[in-house]
Amino acid sequence: MNTRETPSEDDAVICSAKGCRAPAVWVLAWNNPKIHTPERRKTWLACEEHREHLSQFLGVRGFLKDVVTLEEWSAAER
């Protein structure tokens, strides 16, 4: 079972912020410990403008696990 969810190459790689259509350059890896196993990682994608806002949103809830560039995340998946 894959514990990391990553957009496929066919998916548009755009920011996850509501209404934003900018290209994503960051991956915010997170999980909700109430519903996910500890090793599971969900991802949000972020542009430069929204990285901090999305990180804070997840961080306040205790969900944020890692923030890496999309390039680093993709390389780790290979």
Side-chain angles (χ1 to χ4, degrees), residues 5-7 13-18 24-31 41-47 50-51 53-59 61 63-64 66-68 70 73:
E5 297 179 5
T6 302
V13 184
I14 59 167
C15 182
S16 298
K18 186 176 181 177
V25 281
W26 295 98
V27 175
L28 288 67
W30 63 277
N31 85 0
R41 292 295 180 264
K42 304 281 286 177
T43 57
W44 280 357
L45 303 174
C47 64
H50 292 111
R51 180 189 60 85
H53 172 75
L54 294 174
S55 293
Q56 286 179 354
F57 180 89
L58 293 168
R61 290 156 180 79
F63 296 174
L64 186 63
D66 202 8
V67 178
V68 297
L70 182 59
W73 185 268

